[in-house]
Amino acid sequence: MAVDTQADWQDGEVVEAAPAADGIQRIVLRPERPRPAAPGAHVDVAVEIDGRTDTRSYSVVRGSEDGGLLTISVQLAADSRGGSRFMHTLRPGDGLRMTQPLQNFPLRIGAPRYVLVAGGIGITAIAAMADVLRRLKADYVLVYVGRGRDRMAYLEELVERHGDRIRVHVDDEGTPLDASALVDGVAGAGPAELYMCGPIRLMDAVRRRWHDRGLPAADLRYETFGNSGWYDPEEFEVEIPRLGVRTVVGGGRSMLEALEQAGAEVISDCRKGECGLCQVRVLDVQGLIDHRDVFFSDEEKRTSPKMCACVSRAVCAPRPDGAPGPSGVEGRRALLTIDIP
Ligand code: FES
């Protein structure tokens, strides 16, 4: 199937809306111009936030053969910038603007073995891949990681469908995933491709071990939603001295949105930390930068004065996992001084 990356915006209708797990809404959409959804595809949806229209991307969990019905699932984010809140208000019969299925996380058919890793809501990008591999009778294992079973969407039906090919890790039950052991297992069993989608901490642990084991970079593929970081999102200030702009970025919105609202024109495209178009130059930071993009390399994140305004943030609080946070700024609000191209 051709890779579809050009958005064809069209009307869509909500056909079903019901909970899929705690805080996760399953929404079935009927697009005006159906196109089949390949595994890994997503749709962009126009969401209304405080009278403004913005775009959010949601993976297609399942699609009818002709693409006439597309199922997505939306987690109500504690730090929602408004998009997931809007999506949770949708009811059957509601209309919305949406694209056809778009693809930037394709499943390559023909690998000798597959390991699929889904963390939390990341299952939405992985479930359709597992279904296809099962139909193809491919050699695959699906690893599904979550904090608690009540927050793991589609868990029961996935267990039923994939039987002994699914491995479930639940933090609340004391069975968290050991990412290093997982990668070691993959490395020891011969060539395989690993596809993953989940929180940045999980994906980073897998990526690091993959790199340390010298496994082929091309065999590790992942999708990010650009909305999870090393630190909890907190309110911070950003200023652009050259333009006389200074504004507060609340915990529930992005720096890009705050800058736009303050009148600064920042170029952007994907708004999920992938394209790098929204990068700004950091002149000074009181606090630390929580890089949440997948555009810059680890090395660039450590040494370059650039950051992606659409997803990355500044913080003062310690890291939730106990690792050392910024020093000398505890209890204060981080202040970022930047310039834009
Ligand atoms: S707009 Fe693409 S990385 Fe920010």
Side-chain angles (χ1 to χ4, degrees):
M1 185 175 297
V3 172
D4 216 342
T5 52
Q6 289 299 314
D8 169 24
W9 283 94
Q10 57 194 278
D11 288 329
E13 185 191 348
V14 176
V15 177
E16 288 177 44
D22 248 19
I24 298 176
Q25 190 79 338
R26 172 180 170 276
I27 301 169
V28 181
L29 299 172
R30 180 187 289 129
E32 190 182 11
R33 294 186 286 280
R35 295 278 297 275
H42 67 274
V43 288
D44 284 352
V45 173
V47 296
E48 304 294 332
I49 305 171
D50 300 333
R52 289 176 298 116
T53 302
D54 211 340
T55 303
R56 294 289 184 271
S57 300
Y58 297 106
S59 298
V60 178
V61 184
R62 195 155 297 145
S64 59
E65 216 164 294
D66 64 350
L69 294 175
L70 302 172
T71 302
I72 61 172
S73 296
V74 182
Q75 181 168 41
L76 185 60
D79 60 335
S80 170
R81 307 197 301 259
S84 66
R85 260 201 313 274
F86 169 81
M87 294 301 291
H88 274 238
T89 65
L90 292 174
R91 295 292 173 263
D94 286 347
L96 81 177
R97 295 286 293 165
M98 62 183 290
T99 66
Q100 86 283 25
L102 300 165
Q103 181 60 282
N104 52 18
F105 186 42
L107 176 69
R108 194 181 75 84
I109 302 299
R113 208 160 50 89
Y114 296 87
V115 179
L116 309 176
V117 182
I121 192 67
I123 192 65
T124 56
I126 295 291
M129 292 185 173
D131 284 350
V132 167
L133 294 176
R134 177 174 166 269
R135 275 206 302 277
L136 294 174
K137 297 191 173 23
D139 186 358
Y140 73 97
V141 57
L142 169 60
V143 181
Y144 189 7
V145 187
R147 289 194 182 153
R149 285 179 190 261
D150 52 349
R151 282 171 281 177
M152 296 171 74
Y154 307 109
L155 179 58
E156 266 177 38
E157 63 175 82
L158 288 168
V159 168
E160 200 168 304
R161 189 170 313 145
H162 298 288
D164 58 4
R165 291 200 174 268
I166 185 168
R167 290 187 216 149
V168 180
H169 295 268
V170 186
D171 293 351
D172 285 358
E173 296 173 4
T175 57
L177 175 69
D178 180 338
S180 296
L182 171 78
V183 174
D184 290 350
V186 175
E193 290 185 6
L194 190 150
Y195 293 75
M196 64 176 172
C197 184
I200 197 164
R201 293 167 210 177
L202 167 67
M203 298 213 291
D204 199 68
V206 172
R207 268 197 320 180
R208 278 173 199 279
R209 191 64 168 190
W210 194 269
H211 176 78
D212 292 349
R213 294 288 312 225
L215 295 168
D219 290 348
L220 177 62
R221 297 158 187 230
Y222 50 88
E223 167 90 311
T224 172
F225 296 125
N227 60 357
S228 67
W230 290 99
Y231 298 83
D232 291 333
E234 62 184 52
E235 191 175 280
F236 65 98
E237 274 182 275
V238 57
E239 62 174 5
I240 308 176
R242 184 172 59 82
L243 303 180
V245 167
R246 183 163 174 147
T247 188
V248 172
V249 183
R253 66 179 185 158
S254 71
M255 181 164 90
L256 178 61
E257 289 165 342
L259 287 172
E260 286 172 341
Q261 217 160 35
E265 283 183 23
V266 185
I267 307 166
S268 66
D269 182 21
C270 71
R271 292 182 169 246
K272 49 186 180 171
E274 292 175 0
C275 71
L277 263 185
C278 65
Q279 59 183 269
V280 299
R281 185 177 188 79
V282 179
L283 306 176
D284 186 44
V285 56
Q286 291 174 29
L288 262 184
I289 297 172
D290 186 16
H291 287 283
R292 294 168 167 235
D293 64 280
V294 290
F295 176 76
F296 292 119
S297 67
D298 288 351
E299 176 69 12
E300 285 171 320
K301 286 174 184 168
R302 269 195 307 274
T303 58
S304 150
K306 305 241 176 94
M307 67 185 284
C308 288
C310 65
V311 290
S312 297
R313 312 183 60 86
V315 292
C316 272
R319 248 167 76 161
D321 63 358
S327 59
V329 288
E330 296 87 352
R332 288 168 41 191
R333 185 155 75 181
L335 171 62
L336 205 50
T337 306
I338 63 166
D339 203 0
I340 60 177

